[in-house]
Amino acid sequence: MPAGRTEVRGTVLERRTAPARVVPPPAAEAPLWWVWLAAWPVTAVFMLSNAATPLYVLWQRDIGFSKGALTVVFAFYIVGLLGSLLVSGVLSDRLGRKPVLLPALGLALAACVVFATASSVAALIVARLLTGVAVGAAVSAGMAAVTDVAGERRRRLGSLLASCAMVLGAGLGPFLSGLLSETLPAPTVTVFLVEMALLASALLVVVRMPVTRPATAGQGSWVRLPGVPRESRAQLIMGIAVFGPGITGTSFVLSLGPSLLSGLLGTTSRVVAGSMALVMFLAATGVQFAVRALRRRTILLAGAASTAAATAALVYAVHASSVVALLASAVLAGAGQGMGQLGGLSLLSATVAPNRLAEANSALNMGGYLLAGSLPVAAGFLSDAAGLTTGATVFAGVLAALAIAGGLVVATLGRRVAETS
C-alpha cells in the first residue's frame, strides 16, 4: 500500500508510513583548543631531539671526541629514528595512537636520564638512539594524532599544526638548552631535568587526548618498510624529493653549525649556537603559516628553491667568513625544510585514508631522514680530513644538486597529479 494512505480495520485507524531513513550523526568534533594541544607531545619530543646540540662543546671538552665522532653520535639518532619508523606507523594505525605515543614518551624520559649522567661517547650514542626511537613515534603516531583530533573538516589545519609542532620543537630545544646551560649550574644535568618536566606534561596530554582505537585491523607484516597505497605514491615521491634535501640542510646546521660559528666568530657560546637553531626553525614555522593557502605543488617548488639558495649562502659564508651569510643559510634551510614538510604532509593527508596515515607519515620521514643521516656524517669526516671549509663546500654542492633534482621531480609529477583543495 502506498505510504501515507489511511486504511480502516474495524474501529482502528492505522496510518502506514514508509520507515524514515536513519542518518548517523556526524562524528563529534573535538574543540579547536584540543587540536592545538594535541600538537604539544610532538613539540616536546622534538625539543629533546635537538636539546643536546649546544651541549656538545661541553662534552667534547670533558670527554674528548672529533667532529667525525660528533656526526656519528648524531647519526645514531637517525638509526633509532629509522628503526622506529619501520614499526611505529603500522602499530599506530592498527593499535591506535596512544599505545605508541605513551611508550615513546617513556623512552624519551629515559634518554634524558642517560644524557644527564653521560660520561662517554657510548652513553651519548645510547641517549641519541633512544631519542631517535621516540622521535620516530612522534613523527608517525604523534603527527597522525593531531590530524585525527582535527577531524575531516579541519584536515589541512591538522597537517599544518603537526608540521609546525615538529619544527618549532626542533628550534626551541637547542635555544632553551643554550640559555639554561649558560645561566644555571650543572648545565648537562639541568637542561634534561627541565626537559623531563616538559615530557611529563606531554604524557598527561596523550592520556587525555580524544582519539579512539582504529575501527578496522590492518593487513600485512607488523614490521616493514612504510609505504602508501598505489594511488598516493606520486605524492609521497614529491614530498620526499623536497623534504629530504630540506631536512638534510637543517641537520648540517645542527651538527656542524656550532663548529662553523666557532670558526667565524671565535665563540663557543651555547646561547649563540642555540639562537641560530631557533632562528632556523622559527623560519621553518613561520613560512608554513605564510604559504599554507598556496597550492601544494607551489609550496614544494618554493621549498626546493629555498634549500638550493641555502647551499649558495653556506658556500659564501665559509669562504668569506661571513656570519650574516651563515645566518641567511640557516634561515633558508629552515624555510626549505618547512615547506617541503608541509607540502609532503598535506599531500598525504589529502589522499591517504586515516587508517594508513601514520604509516604514510613514517614513509615520508624515512625518505627524508635517510639522506639527513648520511650526508652530514660524510661532511663531518671530510671536514676532519680536509678542513671545515672544504667539507662544507662539498656538502653544499651535493645538496644543491639534490634540491634542484627535487624541484624537477615535483615539476614533472605535479603535472600528472590532480591536487585536492
Side-chain angles (χ1 to χ4, degrees):
M1 180 178 294
R5 178 176 174 179
T6 303
E7 180 185 34
V8 179
R9 289 187 177 178
T11 60
V12 180
L13 289 177
E14 294 183 351
R15 183 176 179 81
R16 295 183 180 178
T17 57
R21 188 171 70 90
V22 178
V23 179
E29 196 171 69
L32 182 60
W33 60 266
W34 248 120
V35 184
W36 288 81
L37 190 58
W40 170 239
V42 178
T43 302
V45 171
F46 271 91
M47 287 180 71
L48 173 63
S49 72
N50 293 330
T53 298
L55 303 177
Y56 285 125
V57 292
L58 297 178
W59 284 313
Q60 281 182 306
R61 181 196 66 195
D62 297 337
I63 300 173
F65 50 87
S66 66
K67 297 182 186 68
L70 174 59
T71 54
V72 169
V73 172
F74 186 86
F76 266 88
Y77 161 77
I78 305 295
V79 171
L81 189 151
L82 294 177
S84 177
L85 290 176
L86 292 174
V87 181
S88 58
V90 176
L91 284 178
S92 175
D93 286 335
R94 294 187 182 183
L95 302 180
R97 312 309 182 200
K98 292 183 182 182
V100 174
L101 285 174
L102 292 174
L105 287 167
L107 289 178
L109 288 166
C112 289
V113 174
V114 178
F115 270 129
T117 58
S119 59
S120 66
V121 173
L124 294 177
I125 286 175
V126 170
R128 289 296 282 170
L129 188 67
L130 292 174
T131 302
V133 175
V135 169
V139 299
S140 53
M143 297 174 85
V146 180
T147 306
D148 289 350
V149 173
E152 188 65 33
R153 187 177 63 87
R154 300 177 299 204
R155 212 162 173 77
R156 191 152 186 167
L157 173 65
S159 297
L160 174 65
L161 294 182
S163 183
C164 288
M166 172 179 169
V167 292
L168 184 61
L172 287 175
F175 175 74
L176 183 63
S177 174
L179 185 62
L180 293 176
S181 67
E182 291 280 10
T183 57
L184 297 178
T188 57
V189 176
T190 304
V191 166
F192 295 104
L193 289 176
V194 173
E195 178 62 27
M196 289 176 73
L198 298 176
L199 289 168
S201 70
L203 199 65
L204 294 176
V205 170
V206 172
V207 169
R208 300 297 302 274
M209 189 181 295
V211 289
T212 59
R213 293 174 65 90
T216 57
Q219 298 178 344
S221 173
W222 289 77
V223 180
R224 64 179 187 236
L225 283 174
V228 296
R230 183 183 300 273
E231 60 271 17
S232 299
R233 288 178 184 172
Q235 287 88 340
L236 176 63
I237 292 170
M238 290 167 64
I240 292 175
V242 179
F243 174 57
I247 197 170
T248 302
T250 57
S251 296
F252 177 85
V253 174
L254 288 171
S255 58
L256 293 179
S259 298
L260 285 170
L261 281 174
S262 177
L264 295 177
L265 292 178
T267 178
T268 57
S269 169
R270 296 181 292 279
V271 174
V272 173
S275 296
M276 184 172 71
L278 177 63
V279 169
M280 178 171 69
F281 286 114
L282 284 178
T285 303
V287 75
Q288 293 184 64
F289 280 94
V291 304
R292 67 186 185 278
L294 299 178
R295 292 172 61 87
R296 297 177 179 94
R297 179 169 173 265
T298 302
I299 293 172
L300 288 172
L301 289 173
S306 186
T307 300
T311 64
L314 175 62
V315 171
Y316 180 80
V318 297
H319 285 274
S321 298
S322 171
V323 176
V324 173
L326 180 61
L327 290 174
S329 176
V331 168
L332 289 167
Q337 178 188 333
M339 287 187 281
Q341 185 174 299
L342 176 62
L345 286 173
S346 296
L347 282 174
L348 293 177
S349 74
T351 57
V352 177
N355 66 340
R356 293 287 303 275
L357 186 57
E359 184 182 355
N361 289 346
S362 293
L364 174 67
N365 281 278
M366 178 168 280
Y369 277 106
L370 279 171
L371 185 60
S374 55
L375 201 53
V377 170
F381 281 107
L382 181 60
S383 297
D384 282 337
L388 194 53
T389 298
T390 299
T393 302
V394 173
F395 168 85
V398 173
L399 188 61
L402 291 171
I404 293 170
L408 293 174
V409 167
V410 172
T412 302
L413 288 181
R415 296 192 186 99
R416 289 180 275 167
V417 175
E419 288 192 320
T420 58
S421 58

